[in-house]
Amino acid sequence: MPRYLDPPAAWAGTDPRAQPAATILAAGERVVAAATRITRHLDQAAPDAAVATLRPAAKTAVPQPEAAPAHPAPTPIAARPKRDTRQLAILDDAAAIFSQQLADSWGAAYLLSRGITPATAREWHIGYAAAGWTELTSHLLAAGYAEEEIEATGLARRSSRGTPIDQFRDRVVLPVRAADGRIAGFIGRASPGSTSDVPKYLNSPETSHYKKSDLLFGLREAQGALKAGATPVLVEGPFDAIAVTIAGEGHWVGLAPCGTALTPSQAALLASNCNLAGTGVLVAFDDDPAGVKAAIRAYRILRPFTAILRQPVLAGRDPAQILEQEGPPGLRAVLTAEAVPLLSVIVDADLGRWQHRMSETEGPLLALRSAAALLADLLPPAAADQVRQTTAGTELTAVDDEARPVVSPQVPLVARAFPVDTAIEAVRLASRLGFPADEVVIEIANAVTRQAVRRGPDRSATHARLAASGFPAPTPRWPGDRRAAGPSSRCHDPAYPFTRPTKVTRRPRDTGT
């Protein structure tokens, strides 16, 4: 048989510093890629019979484990669909390869340590991406896919040398499925021993199939339970979602945004798969500043779909940690226990920002204004409109120039415009900060009016109404006289930095102009 290539040592070198093995591998990859491109062009030009005779020679089998694989091997290329659906076939084949590699990786022991059994791993199609630079890409190229097709799925990207390399390497990999069951992309979890410069989680890049703002991890797996009335539990990460669903026993299911804050598209997708008005939503984000910010966003987005928004008491842990430490019964007990209204969690976090100033004269007032502005901002649009109609675009006052209480007939009407959760928070604020409930209602109503000034299309008309309101501004409150003199309703800045005057008994009225 004639020799077409010289021995590898003649062109790859024998000096270890030249990395002959890597050179041979790179050359082989280029040969396979060239052959694949040629085959693809022949596929478009040659008759079906001719193509059928060409493909078996270019195809190599994916190594199979001794035990029966949890998922089928890649479908023979002749049976695969053409054009855009080929990307879905690539994603399916990659998931099968990842699943086959899990048992012999560190990922199997890692999942067990987190309370995820092999049966659960198979149910969620969890796999492992090998540590090599081109392990998956080589399998898919050998199966007949083109480099461009693999890159289009987000499974490969170009290296600095211009060659395709795997997107996921040495990671536990979880597929993200669309509502119709198709695999859209993957989330990869790095080894616990990885260095700090390695991202813990890595998502597929945005592709025609994977748009993370439109997907919820765990939704496909939870569809049956959701249709039966299970309560959705929004969590931060994919392992939190799996933990909730494991412990939930059909009563609770975990769902996680794919590396992003909750979006309106995700909320609408969830609402289309269950009766949110009846089940409500548990929001189980972390209780750190980022988690609170995500909870506020979730409240805004979910409030139009349901008034039942609560948060379980996690005591500084996430659902995956609770499952790992206490097993399904421990996490189930947390989910079963009485949950806190989500709005209360948000308000308490806002009040916490003022805790260091509560001993100061103006501290409680500043905290009240801040919380009132937050509650006003989170009011449903219909409720905010009703408040503005009741106050006719003017600010209300609780006391007159001599710090005497003023009875405002609008206050009861404003209070009745509040949703139940807002009314509950108004009562809680009055109790915690030592204000009459009427003053809290007035502060929220005035915050609604001020926000209309900032956002409204006709700012000048609104300012004119405020200037013509004629309501006097009360004096600041002093220690020991908190109920005799209420907080000023005229200050537009919730953090107005006034200081205590020595002999002044009234302040000039702020006309809002």
Side-chain angles (χ1 to χ4, degrees):
M1 183 175 180
R3 175 182 296 170
Y4 295 101
L5 288 176
D6 292 328
W11 51 272
T14 58
D15 189 340
R17 293 174 296 178
Q19 298 184 329
T23 303
I24 295 171
L25 178 60
E29 290 176 357
R30 290 172 181 260
V31 171
V32 171
T36 301
R37 285 194 291 271
I38 294 171
T39 303
R40 186 173 71 256
H41 290 302
L42 290 174
D43 183 26
Q44 298 171 353
D48 290 343
V51 175
T53 61
L54 286 172
R55 279 181 173 160
K59 179 181 175 185
T60 59
V62 177
Q64 301 291 324
E66 295 183 1
H71 300 279
T75 307
I77 191 169
R80 292 193 183 113
K82 305 287 185 183
R83 299 183 179 90
D84 57 343
T85 55
R86 283 172 61 87
Q87 292 185 19
L88 297 178
I90 293 173
L91 292 166
D92 286 340
D93 287 355
I97 293 170
F98 288 149
S99 295
Q100 294 162 9
Q101 296 173 160
L102 176 63
D104 295 328
S105 71
W106 59 261
Y110 171 76
L111 293 176
L112 277 176
S113 71
R114 304 208 66 170
I116 298 176
T117 65
T120 300
R122 288 191 295 271
E123 181 181 353
W124 287 79
H125 306 281
I126 304 175
Y128 171 75
W133 288 95
T134 60
E135 291 286 333
L136 177 65
T137 302
S138 297
H139 279 310
L140 296 175
L141 287 173
Y145 295 115
E147 291 179 4
E148 295 80 3
E149 291 178 311
I150 302 171
E151 287 182 65
T153 65
L155 290 169
R157 57 184 176 84
R158 291 287 168 176
S159 70
S160 58
R161 297 188 302 166
T163 58
I165 58 175
D166 294 347
Q167 169 75 2
F168 300 100
R169 300 185 301 276
D170 193 26
R171 289 178 179 268
V172 168
V173 181
L174 305 96
V176 181
R177 296 181 179 272
D180 60 4
R182 63 178 173 82
I183 296 178
F186 296 89
I187 300 175
R189 209 291 184 188
S191 167
S194 300
T195 56
S196 58
D197 60 328
V198 176
K200 181 182 293 186
Y201 285 97
L202 181 66
N203 288 62
S204 289
E206 294 275 330
T207 68
S208 59
H209 298 289
Y210 184 80
K211 299 186 183 304
K212 60 184 180 180
S213 61
D214 296 337
L215 296 165
L216 278 173
F217 178 85
L219 179 62
R220 173 63 177 182
E221 292 79 2
Q223 279 180 324
L226 288 172
K227 295 294 184 184
T231 298
V233 182
L234 281 179
V235 295
E236 292 195 2
F239 286 107
D240 295 322
I242 295 174
V244 169
T245 301
I246 290 173
E249 294 186 329
H251 299 290
W252 299 273
V253 292
L255 306 167
C258 299
T260 183
L262 185 72
T263 67
S265 296
Q266 291 168 332
L269 178 64
L270 176 58
S272 68
N273 281 270
C274 62
N275 177 22
L276 285 183
T279 64
V281 180
L282 281 180
V283 178
F285 295 150
D286 295 346
D287 56 2
D288 55 13
V292 172
K293 184 177 180 180
I296 293 175
R297 178 179 174 85
Y299 182 91
R300 293 184 195 275
I301 292 174
L302 293 170
R303 190 61 179 78
F305 296 99
T306 179
I308 309 173
L309 296 170
R310 298 165 296 162
Q311 178 167 309
V313 180
L314 300 178
R317 298 178 295 173
D318 58 44
Q321 290 173 326
I322 297 174
L323 178 72
E324 179 181 340
Q325 296 167 3
E326 302 179 19
L331 179 54
R332 191 157 48 249
V334 171
L335 297 173
T336 306
E338 186 68 25
V340 179
L342 181 60
L343 192 55
S344 297
V345 176
I346 294 171
V347 170
D348 288 349
D350 187 77
L351 291 177
R353 298 189 303 115
W354 301 96
Q355 193 61 43
H356 67 290
R357 301 195 62 180
M358 285 301 182
S359 60
E360 301 176 12
T361 300
E362 66 271 22
L365 172 60
L366 297 178
L368 172 63
R369 286 179 176 163
S370 178
L374 177 61
L375 288 172
D377 192 44
L378 294 176
L379 276 178
D385 288 343
Q386 189 171 350
V387 170
R388 284 190 290 268
Q389 291 172 12
T390 301
T391 62
T394 60
E395 293 193 27
L396 307 180
T397 187
V399 295
D400 61 16
D401 289 351
E402 303 302 327
R404 293 174 300 191
V406 173
V407 177
S408 174
Q410 292 114 318
V411 171
L413 299 176
V414 169
R416 282 197 287 270
F418 291 165
V420 173
D421 54 355
T422 304
I424 291 173
E425 290 312 305
V427 174
R428 289 181 69 241
L429 277 175
S431 175
R432 289 190 60 176
L433 300 178
F435 291 97
D438 283 5
E439 293 188 27
V440 177
V441 172
I442 288 173
E443 284 293 338
I444 298 173
N446 289 345
V448 172
T449 301
R450 290 191 287 269
Q451 289 168 7
V453 172
R454 291 193 294 268
R455 301 172 181 171
D458 188 0
R459 297 169 59 94
S460 59
T462 307
H463 276 296
R465 288 197 300 271
L466 289 173
S469 64
F471 287 110
T475 55
R477 295 178 295 105
W478 307 122
D481 191 22
R482 291 190 173 181
R483 294 182 180 271
S488 169
S489 304
R490 310 297 297 175
C491 176
H492 291 276
D493 186 355
Y496 176 66
F498 68 86
T499 58
R500 174 179 176 176
T502 56
K503 295 183 179 180
V504 177
T505 58
R506 59 181 299 178
R507 294 193 331 220
R509 185 171 62 209
D510 179 357
T511 62
T513 58

